[in-house]
Amino acid sequence: MASVEEKIHEYGQKRDANALQQIMTTLDDDEASNYINNRTRRERCTGFSKKYDSQSTFWKDLMPELLNVLIERETFEYNDFEYTGVEYKTEFINTLCMSPWSPNIVTSLTAMFIDMPLMKEEHLKIVNKLGTYIEKMTSQEIPAFVYQLLRLCKQQNGRSIFLKLQSYFGLRIYNNRNFNSDSSSDSNVNDFDAIESTSNQEMIEAESTVLYHIHTAASLGHGCIKDYLTSLKNMLKSPEFVLNSFQLMVLFTISTIPHYEETVFDIVRPCIVRSYNEEQRKLNSFCLERELVLQALVNFGFVLLGVGSGLGRDPIAEKQWNLGNMILLKIIKRKRHIAQTVIQTLSNHIVTGQSVSQYIECLYILSKTLPLLMLENQSCIVELMESLVQVPGNVANQLLDALIPITRVSPTIRDHLIILLRKALYSRVTETRQMAVNGFLKLLTNLKVSNLVALSQSSSSTGSFSSGHSLFTQISMNRTTQTVGTSTFSNEALCLEVLSILKRCFMQQLEVRSQLYEGLYDAVCMNSGLGIPVLDLIWFHFSEYYFMDEDLLPPLNFSKIAVCREMESVLLDDGTDLLDIVPESQQKMHTLKEAMSVYEALIGYKICSWDLESENSGQMVNSLFQGYNRLLHFSKPMQKTKKMDNDKSTQQTQANTTLKKDKSKSAKQMRVPETVLNFQTIKKILNLLHEPNVDWSTTAQAVMVKSKREFHQHIMQATIHLVHNVKRHKDIESRYKKLSYDHITDVALVLFSRIVKRLNEFINFDSTTAVLAMDCFHAILVLITSQYKSNMKIFMNKVVGDGNDVGFVVQLTTLVKIYQKIFEMTEEEVNDDIEIKKMSLIIINTLSVLANQIPSDSNPLSIQMCEWLKNFTYNNTVSNKVSSTFINLLFETHIKYKISLTLFEQISASIGNAVGVIREDEDNAETFTIINEGTVQSISLSLCSNIKSILEDIEAVIARLKSEYNILVYPGAENIEKKKENLKTKERGVCCQICFVVTILTNLSNLAIDPGNMSEAIFKNIMHLFCTLSLLTKHFIMRSSKVNLVFQGARFERLVKLAGKQLAPAVNKFVTVCQDRQTRATQEKKKKVDSGALKSKVLRENRIIPKVVYEMEQFSKCVIQLSNKTKVDLAKHVGQGIARDFRIKELKEVLEQAGENTVAYTQSTDSTNVSREETEADDQEINGDIDEEEEIGSPPPSKKSKK
């Protein structure tokens, strides 16, 4: 045997494969087995290659071939034991796995196992053994080892490799930046600069090589890649596992292969959505240095930008857009050559897409932060400019905001834009002309001017702005773009030229002129140097409508403003119907609106020019407002009154329909024109009206205006209108946003300090203005929390804290307590004022906004809010309109800050006291004063809505439990016991929460209510609950076995008992009662209502019941499956339902009727027997007579005689 080993060793050193193969064929069974075991024993004693280096491991290349030879042998003996070839190979594998291996030979061993014939169990055992050596590898050894592992796990058991690599590189590269479950929720998800702080370059290079091997395996179609992606799909509900840094590296590497791109993005994006929903920002993009995944990151950024948003604001979609913007921005900063691809893709989406605001915002961020880089891709920018005349108007205006920052640094781009806008002014489409005007105004706003006044005076001396040489002819543009450095034309001259172009827009349609009027003012506000030239331009246009003669009144030529006969005809003709559709009425209505706007503009002018030296300013403002008020009151009686035709009363249905239409038309009124006042004017008026003293007016003059209640109301309505305009108008330009924020904050400061804090005093002055002020402050809070959420603390510090930084929670507590006192005051006072009754709803809506801003770690404030709402519910009542909003706030706050649902259970029981119950219980439910006959329906619907939200949250948790269980069974998972305990705790919590819901719905199912909205909402929640119970039962079916009764530790058996013994019978009874009441109601209405409409209503109301019965049966089926699997009798708690059984309706009446029928039947039977005997006697007599006649010999009777 020694000679055989020496020969093999000699041939191995020489790498003589033919000689080695030849000697293997000459070995018999004993020699082959002895050689294998001797080599294995020696290597095990020396720690597997402590003695031999990598050059002496040639024998491992022979081991697979030698085992293949032995496997083909049916039987052979070794050490007095008889083996088959397969049994010997299995024994050899077990012995090998029990041996300690040295890390420097593990790679060679892995290569040996690739060619070795292995069964599935043996393969898994070897892979797990090799996986334990990954942590012992150096950065130089790991790439080759992973390459061999991927070859070994080509078709199976490859998932554990990725988990081990995740741990390996996570500790050495991403250590403190991992997305683990203990990471802080306040971490910055947009930190893409981790690469800059990493010094372990060798480990990074090793990781890049490993990623290359994974990419190669994926491109070759290895099955382990498919198994890996499939396993991740089962873990989408645990985003922290998928969004691990190394996992993302692997996924993005795989996504560079077109076949896997969609699959990978379908895994990553839902995980990001899930993490945002859980408010855990856990994305780390350390992978910018990898060219292999660069394109994948760009594609993924556009996938995030392509997420559609539903109606209204979608915060989850907006977070994904922000993340996509940040990914693209960081990539372009690090890899400038990718900018052209990104810009071109953005351009394609903007031009061809439907909802493109997110792409335009991304373009704006690039233009704002990297304008010089954008200029390197000038062709893409010019192409995008050309699309301004093709896209819709709102998209074009947003696109202008994104392109303007580039024009500040590039005269060439600016010149192209000016030529394009000038062409757009002559478009046939009005929307395009409006866009052109808006573009010129934005250019004016962003041009820096210094000596424009002197230049405008020299230009105006020639007669007009348009005299002289034009800057924007095609020839001049070609010349100026080539000689930019000479600065032939300054910004001042450019502004004057743009103004001369805009001057021609005064001849455009109303929509274009309105755009110009509004934009000129905004441009002057943002660029004060434009003030004098713009005033000259406006005066030139205004002089066409103004009479210089002071004797002419009114001094405006309304015949040019709105085409009509005379102003007096509008003011004096009381029979004028302004709501008529005839042209004359429409002209007069527009004239009236223009006159009202003129009055309002003059009021604004007098306010802005008011100072200490002004005389009779207060009286003049009052006089102007009286003129405005006269026109306003004049418009009210001029409503078109419809008369019913009494002669056509024969058709009742048609008459009723006509009556409804006429009522709706008679309520129509002329819309008051939108305010022309701006925020600067409004702020000055608010200070005048509400501050004790102002330094620009005398007290006597100020009092003249302060005492006018109607003026207070008008100004407050104008303020609300301006706030709503800011909310509707979404500017991406940061300067406009900041300006709007400053205006809103100043207005809120006046409202809070002078009205909200002293509301009791102000209501005595004017309740209508008080309600409008509270509504305005609520609108401001909604605007701040939605569009300026990052500035919420600054806003509270300025408005509530008076500039004293005492902390956000303290300021929020102050504001909440003020509103709570106001709400208590408005509900306690019995007031017939209609306006005061509106205030309660406004206050509770404001409290809802404030409650959403309470930080999660602010326990005192959250507890105070919950207790106040709960005590008010116990002891007070509210109107029907306010009850729904109030109870919603109570439920939402309780869910947010409380764990138990005891309050829901108590309210559900208390509802039965108001509407009645089907089955009386001995337990006396607590009484809530807020629940009465007027509010019970709205409170019940609100309760059902919140129960639905709770069930949706529970379903999400169950899905996450399933995902966490999949992680537990993932090969190579660590901390198994700790994760199991965590999973059991969550399962127990879910069962306890569902127990509360079962009790609540049991109480609601016991309500004696008629079919309608309440019953339908209850049935939907019952159906949802049983669906959730089925999902939880399936989870325990997957988790439990005969020896591992997981559901018992989670108290699932108690939940099944509650659902089967309490809820199910109550639901069955509820179904029966609802159907009986529906039948009686149908019979009563059958004669009064059309049968087709009645049938549709019945079908609609009863459609939900079969679905409820089906879900109950599905839950019973799942419980039976769990019982059969675990041999624990849970099925005894879910009895057979009676919903599908035949029922005898009105059983007592049927039995009584059955008793009466029995007596009647007995009497009728006796009389029948007597009559039958008499009949038989008569027949016998007749038969005797017939026999006698036959004997006489008379002929038989004919057929006719027999009849």
Side-chain angles (χ1 to χ4, degrees), residues 1177-1190:
D1178 294 338
D1179 291 340
Q1180 290 178 358
E1181 294 178 357
I1182 293 172
N1183 292 333
D1185 295 339
I1186 293 174
D1187 293 339
E1188 292 177 355
E1189 291 178 357
E1190 289 179 354

Side-chain angles (χ1 to χ4, degrees), residues 408-420:
R408 300 174 187 170
V409 296
S410 173
T412 303
I413 296 294
R414 183 192 64 196
D415 295 344
H416 278 291
L417 180 61
I418 291 175
I419 291 178
L420 179 66

Side-chain angles (χ1 to χ4, degrees), residues 902-940:
T902 306
L903 178 65
F904 289 75
E905 184 178 341
Q906 294 171 351
I907 290 180
S908 65
S910 181
I911 291 175
N913 298 334
V915 300
V917 295
I918 300 173
R919 184 183 65 258
E920 293 290 343
D921 294 331
E922 296 180 358
D923 297 336
N924 295 324
E926 296 189 30
T927 302
F928 291 85
T929 307
I930 196 174
I931 302 177
N932 50 51
E933 294 181 359
T935 62
V936 64
Q937 183 169 4
S938 59
I939 292 176
S940 300

